[in-house]
Amino acid sequence: MEGKEEDVKLGANKFAERQPIGTSAQTDKDYKEPPPAPLFEPGELTSWSFYRAGIAEFIATFLFLYITILTVMGVKKSPKCNSVGIQGIAWAFGGTIFALVYCTAGISGGHINPAVTFGLFLARKLSLTRAVFYIIMQCLGAICGAGVVKGFEKNSIFETLGGGANIVNHGYTKGDALGAEIVGTFILVYTVFSATDAKRNARDSHVPILAPLPIGFAVFLVHLATIPITGTSINPARSLGAAVIYNRDHAWDDQWIFWVGPFIGAALAAAYHQIVIRAIPFKSRA
């Protein structure tokens, strides 16, 4: 009992003074910079954890497309859902990402988005081998998810409602759409880097953060802002899956925007985080 009382006393007095937050925060938690992932990792191809992570990305992206496209089509189809509108669709995307990232983060990192995978690859958080495998599995999962949605709807209704495909909406140019996708993906990938940064977790360990929450909220906010422009992609797999199943010319005409924009946004976010944010000294030196 004496030992326990001493532990309690130490715990109560561990931080005698109020701890600052932000870059000036000091903790007793050591931080070690993780080494960059190798460009090629042949050993991954013989590891079950590698394939398990790919399966997790497939299932998560499948569920993401299934839930979100059904939501989009439900809002368009049913007068009862008109009051939900853009806010409901944005919540569906953000809430689904929050749940799925929470479920898969410990297995694959919970990317569920080729743009996120690309940004983390540029920052050397994963190998090229794993990045390519993730992107393939994400795209396959998205196609299957959109396909299941089509199976639930009559073909004529599915086509009338646009299959949940991303297109440039009337009143906006392709340049507008590209810019919206770049900025939107920048916000998302920047949030991913910030919420999962081990250096930040060590520095601000007294400020608890659940990484999937800000990531899901970022997705919600971006959708709220850009649904009127492109329906919001910020996820090439989401756009590809819907376009493959819908398969109409106007969906394919704009498809490049939903790959180029997110990849540019992800690259800018990776560069900003690694060069600008991570350049801040971890601890002030006397």
Side-chain angles (χ1 to χ4, degrees):
M1 291 299 293
E2 292 181 1
K4 289 184 178 180
E5 290 177 359
E6 184 66 21
D7 289 342
V8 171
K9 184 182 290 187
L10 279 174
N13 298 287
K14 188 174 183 179
F15 299 110
E17 299 178 358
R18 187 172 180 175
Q19 296 298 302
I21 60 176
T23 56
S24 62
Q26 301 293 322
T27 75
D28 64 345
K29 189 172 182 179
D30 292 331
Y31 170 77
K32 292 182 179 180
E33 185 74 31
L39 189 60
F40 296 101
E41 181 105 28
E44 288 184 319
L45 299 176
T46 60
S47 171
W48 164 240
S49 63
F50 175 78
Y51 295 100
R52 184 182 65 167
I55 293 170
E57 288 293 309
F58 173 90
I59 295 297
T61 315
F62 168 87
L63 294 173
F64 177 61
L65 267 287
Y66 169 75
I67 294 172
T68 55
I69 291 184
L70 270 180
T71 302
V72 169
M73 298 187 71
V75 170
K76 289 183 177 180
K77 179 181 177 181
S78 176
K80 296 180 180 180
C81 297
N82 287 342
S83 61
V84 173
I86 290 176
Q87 293 88 346
I89 295 173
W91 275 120
F93 277 86
T96 304
I97 283 295
F98 167 64
L100 293 175
V101 171
Y102 179 84
C103 292
T104 60
I107 302 172
S108 65
H111 298 188
I112 322 173
N113 185 335
V116 171
T117 300
F118 180 67
L120 292 173
F121 164 70
L122 292 180
R124 302 294 300 277
K125 303 295 184 182
L126 71 165
S127 67
L128 178 62
T129 312
R130 187 173 291 262
V132 171
F133 183 50
Y134 276 15
I135 291 174
I136 291 172
M137 296 301 283
Q138 290 159 359
C139 290
L140 291 176
I143 293 169
C144 292
V148 170
V149 173
K150 184 176 181 180
F152 286 162
E153 302 286 351
K154 293 181 180 179
N155 192 54
S156 58
I157 296 177
F158 184 82
E159 292 184 7
T160 301
L161 298 177
N166 290 116
I167 59 173
V168 179
N169 291 321
H170 295 295
Y172 297 95
T173 66
K174 293 185 186 297
D176 296 332
L178 182 63
E181 289 296 315
I182 291 173
V183 175
T185 310
F186 178 92
I187 294 170
L188 169 60
V189 178
Y190 176 39
T191 303
V192 170
F193 273 107
S194 297
T196 60
D197 189 354
K199 184 175 184 179
R200 172 178 176 163
N201 291 339
R203 183 189 67 214
D204 299 335
S205 59
H206 58 290
V207 184
I209 184 170
L210 180 63
L213 182 59
I215 294 170
F217 202 66
V219 171
F220 163 72
L221 292 174
V222 172
H223 276 77
L224 203 61
T226 61
I227 282 176
I229 303 174
T230 62
T232 309
S233 173
I234 63 172
N235 185 334
R238 176 262 186 269
S239 296
L240 178 67
V244 167
I245 300 302
Y246 181 52
N247 198 26
R248 291 294 179 269
D249 289 344
H250 60 280
W252 288 114
D253 288 343
D254 299 333
Q255 184 68 200
W256 67 272
I257 293 172
F258 307 116
W259 283 84
V260 174
F263 273 58
I264 292 176
L268 292 174
Y272 176 67
H273 186 267
Q274 295 296 100
I275 297 173
V276 178
I277 302 301
R278 293 301 300 275
I280 298 175
F282 177 45
K283 290 185 177 180
S284 59
R285 296 180 179 178

